[in-house]
Amino acid sequence: MGFFNLSAILITLSAAFAYINTRFIRLPRAIGLMLISLIFSLLLIAAGKFSPLFAHDARALVESVDFEKAVLNGMLSFLLFAGALHVNLHDLARSKWTILILAAPGTVLSAIIVAVAMQATFTLFGAHVDFIYCLLFGALISPTDPIAVLGLLKSLGVPKELQTKITGESLMNDGVAVVLFLGLLGVLTGEHNLEAGMFMELFLIEAGGGILLGLLLGYMGHILCKGVDDYIVEVLITLAIVMGGYSLSEFLHTSGPLAMVMAGLLMGNHSRELAMSERTRERVDGFWEMIDEIFNAVLFVLIGLEVLIISLETIYLEAGLIAIPIVLLARLVAVSIPVTSLRHLRPFPKGSVAIMTWGGLRGGVSVALALALPPGEGRDLVLTMTYTVVIFSILVQGLTLRFLIPKQEDPTAPLAD
């Protein structure tokens, strides 16, 4: 199927599901879209019992979407830039140590805990699974997903300081996780050895290079926008930064996600105030809000449709259910350490650990990374576990997070010094 026809189907489904959610169900948009898409997929599977050809066509349609490339090499660059564009850099700087610990050591620690716990679980039940697959699962499931997190935090009235920490972490830890995952994937395919030095070198090159490239792209965008006062040209400049910059990061083998975050932060905080007129700011903001909403809608519809192509074998689903509390426990440990160690330096809002643990949603990035694994039983297992955790994360954690938010907190209150 051609790109245009495939895009037309996805946009049409997204529009239909968004209308149903807004008109009747009224859940947060991301959650509602994925839930409706998931129900739609299960109905297609049920219909396949009566019409195998129909089910085959539906499965072929979903398989024709390269989810990994669509997310990692397409949507992610736009969504990270759009998310970073509206993050206050001053607020981010106040929480920098918490964010840095959560995004780097926290992600690695969580990945190790998940890997060891899953390996122990498999051993306990007499199942043989290579440890490298447990490590890969830990790496791809540990980062919180900015696409799933950003809109939900605002709609639920999470205290501003916690919004900043969770948002900042989710924007940063994708880059860390992708670097860790690619290093482990190289071990699986025989390209690398499982050595700490190799991972440090890869991290410094990919992550450090991505940050520097993002700062350079943001500065260039700032200079260009400062030289004109034409919102169409300035929108095109931001598009060029996202699309051209992400392609350049792949060519240079640096972290595209981190580059987009840094470029978005720089342009969102400096260029919007110092290089754009009020009219241009409104148009640029409106454009990127629309891009964000459209790509979000399509992504969560795709996540729901992906159930058509994952393995629904009972043993894989059971492993996924076991993985849910393990992933939450790893998240709890990764969150508790920075909160406990930094609590004496600055106050944290009531219930911070619980909110940051339960509010650390997983989403499309985890699914995309799982789909990047080479074909085989290990891939099927990791993909099903990932999908199970993501579904639980978005539907259950996303819908119940509001019960953990203290009623007395003012989400607009200034950050503590």
Side-chain angles (χ1 to χ4, degrees):
M1 181 177 293
F3 174 77
F4 180 81
N5 290 333
L6 183 60
S7 300
I9 291 172
L10 291 174
I11 290 293
T12 302
L13 287 175
S14 300
F17 296 165
Y19 177 82
I20 293 171
N21 180 62
T22 303
R23 183 73 174 83
F24 302 106
I25 304 177
R26 299 178 183 175
L27 289 173
R29 186 175 290 111
I31 297 173
L33 283 171
M34 198 194 72
L35 177 61
I36 297 170
S37 181
L38 181 61
I39 294 172
F40 179 73
S41 298
L42 294 175
L43 289 175
L44 289 178
I45 293 174
K49 302 295 182 181
F50 304 98
S51 177
L53 182 61
F54 177 74
H56 176 270
D57 290 342
R59 182 184 177 92
L61 173 64
V62 176
E63 287 179 336
S64 67
V65 180
D66 192 329
F67 191 91
E68 177 208 348
K69 289 185 177 179
V71 175
L72 297 181
N73 298 332
M75 296 181 187
L76 188 60
S77 59
F78 290 89
L79 291 167
L80 288 176
F81 182 85
L85 202 61
H86 297 96
V87 174
N88 187 293
L89 196 57
H90 180 66
D91 291 347
L92 204 64
R94 286 178 175 268
S95 302
K96 59 183 179 296
W97 293 117
T98 305
I99 292 170
L100 287 173
I101 294 173
L102 284 170
T107 300
V108 175
L109 176 62
S110 174
I112 294 172
I113 292 173
V114 170
V116 171
M118 290 306 302
Q119 182 68 38
T121 301
F122 290 133
T123 302
L124 180 65
F125 286 96
H128 174 71
V129 177
D130 289 340
F131 187 54
I132 187 63
Y133 282 106
C134 295
L135 285 171
L136 283 161
F137 175 67
L140 65 87
I141 207 66
S142 291
T144 55
D145 191 279
I147 303 161
V149 166
L150 292 177
L152 186 63
L153 295 181
K154 295 176 184 177
S155 65
L156 293 179
V158 173
K160 186 179 179 183
E161 185 171 2
L162 281 184
Q163 278 193 40
T164 301
K165 288 179 172 63
I166 299 174
T167 299
E169 177 208 359
S170 65
L171 287 171
M172 296 292 183
N173 64 13
D174 275 348
V176 175
V178 169
V179 171
L180 181 60
F181 178 85
L182 290 177
L184 290 168
L185 187 60
V187 174
L188 177 66
T189 58
E191 296 178 19
H192 305 304
N193 295 319
L194 190 59
E195 298 175 354
M198 181 276 296
F199 283 98
M200 287 300 298
E201 181 181 353
L202 188 63
F203 180 80
L204 289 174
I205 294 173
E206 291 247 353
I211 291 172
L212 291 175
L213 177 61
L215 291 173
L216 177 61
L217 291 169
Y219 180 73
M220 289 175 60
H222 174 78
I223 296 299
L224 292 172
C225 287
K226 194 173 182 180
V228 297
D229 185 15
D230 186 321
Y231 72 86
I232 294 178
V233 174
E234 291 173 80
V235 165
L236 284 172
I237 289 171
T238 59
L239 269 176
I241 287 173
V242 172
M243 300 179 75
Y246 204 88
S247 295
L248 180 61
S249 71
E250 290 189 320
F251 176 77
L252 296 175
H253 299 290
T254 59
S255 174
L258 287 176
M260 292 303 100
V261 170
M262 298 310 298
L265 286 173
L266 191 58
M267 293 209 69
N269 285 272
H270 295 290
S271 301
R272 289 176 72 255
E273 298 298 326
L274 304 176
M276 296 180 183
S277 64
E278 183 177 351
R279 183 183 184 214
T280 297
R281 281 197 298 271
E282 291 176 357
R283 299 301 179 95
V284 170
D285 286 348
F287 174 82
W288 282 103
E289 285 171 9
M290 182 63 69
I291 289 289
D292 189 37
E293 290 294 337
I294 291 173
F295 278 21
N296 258 305
V298 173
L299 177 59
F300 280 96
V301 167
L302 273 174
I303 292 176
L305 293 175
E306 285 294 310
V307 74
L308 291 170
I309 64 172
I310 69 168
S311 175
L312 297 178
E313 291 187 28
T314 303
I315 189 171
Y316 292 169
L317 291 174
E318 289 173 347
L321 292 175
I322 293 172
I324 291 171
I326 289 175
V327 171
L328 285 171
L329 177 62
R331 172 71 179 170
L332 175 63
V333 174
V335 166
S336 299
I337 290 175
V339 171
T340 302
S341 60
L342 297 175
R343 194 181 289 277
H344 68 286
L345 297 177
R346 57 181 298 115
F348 281 78
K350 181 180 178 181
S352 293
V353 172
I355 294 173
M356 294 175 75
T357 299
W358 199 249
L361 307 185
R362 274 70 177 183
V365 173
S366 295
V367 177
L369 290 175
L371 287 166
L373 292 171
E377 290 185 5
R379 179 185 187 269
D380 293 339
L381 171 64
V382 170
L383 180 57
T384 304
M385 290 195 302
T386 302
Y387 198 83
T388 306
V389 172
V390 167
I391 293 295
F392 178 88
S393 170
I394 295 174
L395 293 185
V396 179
Q397 293 175 232
L399 287 174
T400 57
L401 179 60
R402 66 180 184 274
F403 297 117
L404 298 178
I405 300 171
K407 298 297 183 184
Q408 70 272 20
E409 293 284 0
D410 178 7
T412 62
L415 296 179
D417 292 324

